[in-house]
Every structure is written in C-alpha cells, then in structure tokens.
C-alpha cells in the first residue's frame, strides 16, 4: 500500500490527536500475513495439481502415445519430472524467500528484463488462461449430466465457467483463511473420489478385467513430436507443483514447510494418477477412452450405477478446488509485480482489513472471463504449456547460474546440480519437439507475444518518460 493510504485522515487539522484516537483501530500493517501452514501448503499443491487434468488429459496422452503401456510410462515420467522441478524450486524458495513464483528467481538470476517478460506473459496469458481452462472443465462436468447422450451447448458451459470464476474471485477477495479452507475441503473431496475410482479399478482387475492391459505396447507411436505433445498434456495434469512458491511470504516456517509439502504432495499425486489411469483401462478399451466425451463420467456410468452421479459431482468439486488454487496464486504474482514496479502500482494494493490483494485478484478474474469466450481447451493447453516450459527451463537455469554468481546466498535446501541440468534439457525438448515435428502458428504467436512485452517495458519501466508516469499514476 502507498503511505498515503496507510495514514488515517485527521479532522480539524489535529493529525496527532487523530492518530492517538485511532491507532488501536488501525490494522498493524497492510501486508500479506503468514497464515498458511504445512497441511494447507500440501492441500494447495495437491488441490491445484489434481484438477481437470486427470479427467481430461488421459485422452490426449493416449492419443499421443498410441498404446496403454507408453501412456502409463508418460504419466509416471511426468510425475518424476514434476518432482525434479519442484526440488529445484524448493532450493530457490528457501534461498530467496519471496512470493511470486518464478518472478523473484528470474530477477535475481538474470535481471529485471527477463523477470518482467515472465510477469507480463504469466499475468496476461498463462495464469488467466489456466484459470479459464479449469473453470471450463468444471462447467463441462457440471452440465454433462443434464444433457445425456450429447455435448452440452457451449453457451451453457461458458456461462457456468464465468459464474465459477466470479465466485472463486469473490472468495479470495474476502479472506485468505476462507480461501485456504475452501482449498482444504475440496482437496479432501477430490482425494475421496480418486480413492473410489482406484478401489473400483482394483476390484475389476481382481475379477479378471485385464484384457486392455495385455500386450500394452502394441501399436505404440514413435513420433518425436507426438510424444512431446503427450508429455504436454500429461504435464498439464501435473501443473501446480510450483504453486507454493507463489505464496512463500504467507507460508509459516518456509524453510521447513516448503520442501516438506513438496516431498509429500507430488509423489502422492503421481501414485494417484497412475492408479486412476489403470482403473480407466480396467473398464474401457483405448478406443472407447478416446471416444469418451468425459472419461471419469463414462467410468462412473459403467461401474458405479446407480450411484454414477457421484462421479461428475466430485469432479466438479475437484476442478473447483483447482481453480481456487490457481486464483489464489495468480493474485500473488500480480501483487508482487505491482510492488516491484512491473505492473501499475494499483495492483500492489492490499485490503487493510482483509489482507487480500483484491485488485490483483479482480484483474486476473476479468482476464479469465475474457479467455472463456473464444476458448478451446486443447488449444489453450498447448499454448499454455509451450510458454510455461520456457520459463520453467529458464528458472532452473537461473538456479545453475546463481550457484556461481550468488555463492553468498544461504541455501537451507541444496539439490545436486544434475537435477536442474536435467530439467533444463527436458524443458528444451518440450519446447522444441512439437515445433520441429509439427510447426503451428500458435507457437509463433506465443513467442511474438512474449517478446512484445518489451514494447511496454522500454517506455514505461526502463526510461520512465514523464508522460508514461502521468498515465501510470492515473
């Protein structure tokens, strides 16, 4: 907050008297509070990772790999890669205890230009598009039971998605405690439905329904780019492993709770994903899975009837919780960028009574609703993953660079340097493989958009011309 907003207004010119009268009524500080403990941190990671991905991505991963065996291998490999990336972020988060995800790490490692391009791309495209994708998934599963045998009309899905975004944004603006209590509740709900699906799958396999798991590598694809796209969609389901780094300043005892939440949360999600996919294949052939409009709902219809309605209900809970986690962290990045002068100062304002970055949260919500209007889920996933893995790779590269340039920084958690090297190499593959194998214009548009942020950086931030200051102040 600006100092002017922190000072109480005095009447009749008696400033000191007003200060004495109101000093007990004023908030202690207009700053984010340390309210997030270990359990809430784990719930944020697990609750954001387990969202729409496991209920949508199985089709895309199977389509990219061509067979059951490679499909399950991709899911496991994605879990390993997410764990390696999260370990790198654990070192960065305990070395640089600042909120904002990759933003402060890129700032320390490479300077303000790259950090600005990250904030520009993530705040304007990546975070709101992610929020929009999850909200669309939530709306799709919420409306599917009301349109048996056909796809829900797009206008219904988009209106429900917009309502979901508005409700979640309101919750996050009202209270931090309310937001993470909502997160904890919906994380418990999504773990419950995953347990139900996994147990049902184990029972079916025990009964001999293993025909889809025999000869699992028959018909597998070897296309360089197709496997890269399969990884894209698998990693989309795992996306969220870095969410705790966005709220480091609000985490109690981050030196202990940040790495511990990562070590507990990500392996738990990996195990859940592999067993859920095996459960799907105990009921559906690969062809049936590819043709299913909603994989989890089809599973419920075949296995849990007449209680099949609980699957879409709990999937709605799951996607709603993931959307809440996405909104929670997106507001923190926008807030930090505003605090550093890379966004308009208004975005760094915090409610003096609720301690929430309300302007940043509202801005993210508005952009997300805009993204819903023309949205196609698969196109958004590809667009999101391409740009996101550029910055994941650069962030792990910053970790390697700071091992040599910032040796004086204390590192409570220090990973072997081979881990960030592997993540950087894999990031290069995930960025380049689809472009080489099947170049599409969306990758060019994404690159132009990222670099285009310099058109705003130069006059508004680097040179700070007088006319830009007048615009920014208003």
């Amino acid at each position: 907050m600006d100092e002017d907003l922190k000072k109480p207004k005095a009447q009749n010119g008696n400033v000191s008297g007003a200060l004495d009268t109101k000093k007990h009524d004023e908030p202690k500080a207009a700053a984010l509070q340390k309210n997030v403990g270990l359990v809430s941190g784990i719930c944020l990671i697990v609750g954001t990772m387990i969202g729409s991905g496991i209920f949508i991505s199985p089709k895309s991963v199977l389509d990219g790999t061509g067979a059951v065996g490679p499909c399950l291998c991709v899911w496991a490999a994605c879990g390993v890669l997410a764990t390696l990336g999260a370990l790198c972020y654990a070192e960065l988060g305990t070395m640089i205890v600042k909120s904002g995800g990759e933003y402060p790490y890129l700032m320390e490692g490479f300077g303000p230009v790259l950090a600005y391009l990250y904030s520009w791309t993530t705040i304007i495209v990546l975070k709101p598009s992610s929020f929009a994708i999850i909200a669309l998934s939530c709306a799709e599963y919420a409306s599917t039971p009301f349109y048996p045998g056909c796809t829900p009309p797009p206008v219904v899905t988009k209106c429900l998605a917009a309502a979901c975004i508005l409700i979640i944004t309101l919750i996050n603006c009202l209270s931090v405690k309310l937001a993470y209590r909502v997160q904890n509740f919906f994380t418990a709900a999504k773990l419950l439905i995953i347990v139900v699906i996994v147990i049902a799958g184990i029972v079916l396999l025990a009964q001999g329904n293993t025909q889809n798991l025999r000869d699992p590598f028959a018909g597998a694809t070897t296309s360089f780019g197709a496997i890269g796209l399969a990884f894209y969609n698998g990693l989309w389901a795992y996306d969220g492993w870095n969410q705790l780094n966005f709220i480091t300043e609000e985490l109690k005892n981050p030196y202990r709770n940040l790495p511990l939440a990562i070590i507990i949360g990500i392996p738990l999600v990996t195990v859940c994903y592999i067993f859920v996919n095996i459960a799907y294949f105990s009921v559906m052939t690969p062809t049936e899975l590819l043709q299913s409009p909603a994989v989890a709902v089809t599973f419920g219809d075949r296995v849990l009837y007449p209680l099949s309605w609980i699957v879409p209900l709990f999937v709605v809970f799951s996607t709603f919780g993931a959307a809440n986690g996405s909104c929670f962290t997106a507001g923190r990045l926008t807030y930090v960028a505003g605090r550093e002068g890379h966004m308009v100062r208004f975005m760094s304002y915090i409610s003096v009574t609720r301690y929430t970055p309300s302007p940043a949260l509202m801005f993210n919500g508005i952009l997300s609703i805009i993204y819903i209007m023309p949205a196609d889920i698969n196109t958004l996933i590809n667009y999101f993953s391409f740009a996101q893995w550029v910055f994941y790779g650069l962030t792990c590269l910053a970790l390697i660079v700071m091992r040599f340039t910032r040796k004086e920084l204390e590192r409570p958690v220090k990973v072997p340097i081979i881990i960030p090297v592997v993540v950087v190499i894999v990031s290069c593959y995930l960025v380049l493989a689809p472009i080489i194998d099947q170049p599409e214009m969306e990758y060019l548009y994404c690159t132009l958009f990222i670099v285009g942020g310099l058109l705003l950086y130069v006059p508004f931030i680097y040179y700070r011309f007088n006319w830009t200051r007048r615009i920014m102040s208003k």
Side-chain angles (χ1 to χ4, degrees), residues 332-353:
R332 274 61 186 174
L333 172 60
T334 309
Y335 155 77
V336 171
R339 185 177 66 185
E340 296 293 331
H342 284 175
M343 289 287 288
V344 290
R345 182 68 64 182
F346 177 67
M347 294 298 176
S348 69
Y349 288 2
I350 296 174
S351 169
V352 294
T353 56

Side-chain angles (χ1 to χ4, degrees), residues 98-427:
K98 293 182 180 179
S99 295
E102 291 85 350
Y103 180 80
Y105 314 143
L106 293 172
M107 179 79 79
E108 292 289 338
F110 299 116
V113 175
L114 199 54
Y116 168 78
L117 291 178
Y118 166 77
S119 66
W120 154 258
T121 307
T122 306
I123 291 169
I124 303 299
V125 176
L126 300 184
K127 279 294 185 181
S129 70
S130 173
F131 196 4
I133 291 168
I134 302 170
L136 283 167
S137 302
C138 179
E140 185 177 333
Y141 273 90
S143 56
T144 295
F146 298 97
Y147 296 89
C150 62
T151 303
V155 65
V156 172
T157 303
K158 291 179 181 180
C159 287
L160 283 174
C164 174
I165 288 172
L166 290 173
I167 292 169
I168 289 171
T169 302
L170 178 62
I171 288 171
N172 280 268
C173 288
L174 287 176
S175 168
V176 173
K177 288 185 178 180
L178 176 61
Y180 72 69
R181 283 171 183 166
V182 167
Q183 189 69 23
N184 295 355
F185 172 80
F186 284 105
T187 299
K190 68 185 66 181
L191 288 175
L192 177 61
I193 192 59
I194 282 178
V195 168
V196 170
I197 292 173
V198 169
I199 291 175
I202 292 172
V203 171
L204 289 167
L205 291 173
Q207 292 174 348
N209 294 282
T210 59
Q211 60 274 12
N212 296 325
L213 299 174
R214 297 169 188 162
D215 196 11
F217 290 88
T221 183
T222 56
S223 170
F224 188 70
I227 294 175
L229 286 175
F231 268 95
Y232 266 1
N233 287 282
L235 288 166
W236 160 248
Y238 280 95
D239 195 70
W241 51 265
N242 63 330
Q243 295 302 290
L244 212 53
N245 292 74
F246 283 89
I247 62 163
T248 308
E249 294 173 25
E250 296 172 79
L251 191 62
K252 298 175 183 176
N253 192 5
Y255 300 109
R256 170 184 175 270
N257 290 340
L258 177 62
L260 197 56
I262 287 170
I263 292 169
I264 295 171
I266 299 175
L268 174 63
V269 173
T270 304
V271 171
C272 288
Y273 280 2
I274 293 172
F275 277 104
V276 166
N277 275 276
I278 293 173
Y280 288 156
F281 288 119
S282 71
V283 174
M284 289 173 275
T285 65
T287 302
E288 288 173 334
L289 191 144
L290 290 173
Q291 292 174 347
S292 171
V295 179
V297 173
T298 302
F299 179 90
D301 290 340
R302 296 188 180 185
V303 178
L304 302 176
Y305 185 83
L307 298 177
S308 56
W309 56 269
I310 69 170
V311 174
L313 175 64
F314 275 85
V315 172
V316 169
F317 289 168
S318 176
T319 49
F320 189 90
N324 180 72
S326 176
C327 177
F328 190 88
T329 56
R332 274 61 186 174
L333 172 60
T334 309
Y335 155 77
V336 171
R339 185 177 66 185
E340 296 293 331
H342 284 175
M343 289 287 288
V344 290
R345 182 68 64 182
F346 177 67
M347 294 298 176
S348 69
Y349 288 2
I350 296 174
S351 169
V352 294
T353 56
R354 303 185 186 278
Y355 303 108
T356 58
S358 300
L361 292 164
M362 293 176 189
F363 181 71
N364 180 64
I366 292 169
L367 284 181
S368 300
I369 291 174
I370 293 172
Y371 274 101
I372 281 175
M373 298 175 185
D376 171 71
I377 289 181
N378 286 327
T379 302
L380 279 175
I381 288 174
N382 292 339
Y383 189 69
F384 172 85
S385 300
F386 168 76
Q388 189 67 75
W389 276 95
V390 169
F391 291 112
Y392 285 160
L394 287 172
T395 303
C396 291
L397 182 60
L399 174 59
I400 298 171
V401 169
M402 285 190 283
R403 286 283 181 92
F404 302 97
T405 61
R406 302 298 302 273
K407 293 181 180 180
E408 76 281 2
L409 292 175
E410 185 179 353
R411 292 170 169 83
V413 175
K414 189 172 183 179
V415 299
I417 198 166
I418 188 63
I419 293 180
V421 170
V422 169
V423 176
V424 170
I425 293 171
V426 173
S427 300

